[in-house]
Amino acid sequence: MCGEAVEADAKVLVCAECGEEFFCEELDNATLVQAYNEYRRRHKLAHNSLLLFLREPQNMRTYLTENEVTLGERQKEKLLAAVGQLEQNEEYRTGKRFLHLFFAKAPCEENGCRAFDYDKFCAMVLFFAHKSTELLKTKLMKLLNYSDMIFYKENGISISGTRYAHLPYGPVPENFDILLGTMTADHIVHIEVVYDNGYERHQVIPEKDMPQDVLSENELVVLNRIYNKFASFGSADISNYSHKEKGYMETKKGEIISYVYAKYIELN
């Protein structure tokens, strides 16, 4: 934006025999997401700024039409057509379609055999935010991971359908910054930065009550077990604890930790 070019590697579907390019919504969506990620990285957009950008498809139209972009004309036309559909789509205007772009995955072992469920994810966050005193973001990420993994281990399906990535401080929900940004804009929770002896503490502040009809009794039982297990753990403690899990040890930075590894988790 603002007269600036953003490079994105565009993948296209091409006929092996004649070289004709075909429309592929999945690939075009991936190009759009990549462009957003690059713009966000370059400008270090915070959660709220990112979400505001994502929720306004006309921002991408302006960018594509008024700035130099390293895309072929055909790919550019396809993206503009997709943006046109977004501008007419109420679901996009409420932000849910963008969540679909980032998190829509067929049920598989990477998401615990469940498509991502934003409402359940939010309910899990609110559960821990209300139960805990001064819950920090780092600890929240691990509580969510253990909850989904243990429920999968015992029931063959995760609670939220979240994919968890291997990051330096332990397992973290994939694209967690977008999820937190969305929840902030939806006034569900927000992150409050507290400075303590020169250190930043990212505290999770709930803005809504815990919903009563989103999580099942069995799911709530598991959440309570996870909360009780780690009630006395600080962020560093639970982070170090998670580093010892087989799924974390056998994956590399940035890789998705399959729910297959849930069978190795013991909370005794």
Side-chain angles (χ1 to χ4, degrees):
M1 305 189 89
C2 302
E4 174 186 353
V6 174
E7 294 186 2
D9 294 326
K11 295 182 179 180
V12 296
L13 191 63
V14 180
C15 175
E17 296 184 0
C18 66
E20 176 74 12
E21 293 184 8
F22 296 97
F23 171 75
C24 177
E25 181 180 5
E26 182 178 352
L27 293 179
D28 287 345
N29 285 344
T31 301
L32 189 62
V33 168
Q34 187 183 47
Y36 282 136
N37 283 337
E38 173 59 21
Y39 187 86
R40 171 181 167 271
R41 183 197 65 77
R42 187 176 298 181
H43 292 278
K44 299 181 174 62
L45 292 178
H47 297 152
N48 288 350
S49 299
L50 170 64
L51 186 69
L52 289 173
F53 185 66
L54 290 178
R55 292 179 88 134
E56 298 296 335
Q58 59 266 35
N59 286 349
M60 181 53 72
R61 175 180 293 282
T62 300
Y63 177 73
L64 289 171
T65 56
E66 297 183 5
N67 297 275
E68 178 185 354
V69 291
T70 56
L71 295 173
E73 282 302 314
R74 185 164 185 168
Q75 189 72 11
K76 180 177 175 180
E77 289 175 3
K78 290 179 180 179
L79 288 177
L80 284 171
V83 169
Q85 292 180 344
L86 307 187
E87 292 171 332
Q88 302 301 318
N89 189 317
E90 180 62 28
E91 189 178 6
Y92 256 111
R93 291 198 291 272
T94 61
K96 295 301 175 71
R97 178 63 173 142
F98 273 104
L99 280 180
H100 177 79
L101 281 182
F102 280 93
F103 300 102
K105 298 288 188 301
C108 63
E109 290 176 341
E110 288 191 346
N111 55 26
C113 298
R114 181 194 290 275
F116 178 71
D117 190 319
Y118 177 67
D119 292 332
K120 282 186 178 289
F121 184 86
C122 291
M124 293 170 70
V125 171
L126 285 170
F127 174 89
F128 289 119
H130 282 293
K131 289 275 286 187
S132 308
T133 302
E134 297 184 351
L135 176 63
L136 299 186
K137 182 175 71 174
T138 298
K139 181 174 181 178
L140 170 64
M141 301 300 167
K142 310 305 170 286
L143 293 174
L144 294 171
N145 176 252
Y146 274 113
S147 299
D148 267 327
M149 288 285 179
I150 289 298
F151 195 84
Y152 176 85
K153 177 182 179 180
E154 297 174 355
N155 298 276
I157 191 171
S158 64
I159 299 175
S160 69
T162 301
R163 302 198 327 163
Y164 292 90
H166 176 128
L167 289 184
Y169 294 107
V172 170
E174 183 184 33
N175 291 318
F176 70 92
D177 50 351
I178 295 173
L179 286 172
L180 290 176
T182 303
M183 287 189 287
T184 298
D186 289 341
H187 301 289
I188 295 171
V189 300
H190 70 271
I191 303 299
E192 187 172 297
V193 180
V194 179
Y195 294 93
D196 183 14
N197 294 324
Y199 292 95
E200 285 189 2
R201 294 163 55 86
H202 293 242
Q203 189 170 332
V204 183
I205 308 297
E207 297 185 32
K208 286 187 176 181
D209 293 334
M210 174 71 187
Q212 300 301 311
D213 57 352
V214 175
L215 298 174
S216 69
E217 290 186 12
N218 288 339
E219 291 168 341
L220 288 170
V221 167
V222 169
L223 293 182
N224 272 298
R225 283 168 52 199
I226 298 302
Y227 169 77
N228 291 331
K229 167 65 180 181
F230 297 106
S232 63
F233 282 57
S235 291
D237 298 325
I238 194 171
S239 177
N240 291 334
Y241 190 95
S242 70
H243 285 185
K244 300 174 184 177
E245 301 294 354
K246 189 177 182 69
Y248 187 83
M249 291 190 295
E250 295 193 357
T251 52
K252 299 177 182 178
K253 181 179 177 181
E255 292 182 345
I256 297 299
I257 302 173
S258 171
Y259 280 80
V260 169
Y261 291 106
K263 62 185 177 183
Y264 300 107
I265 298 177
E266 299 291 343
L267 295 180
N268 299 330

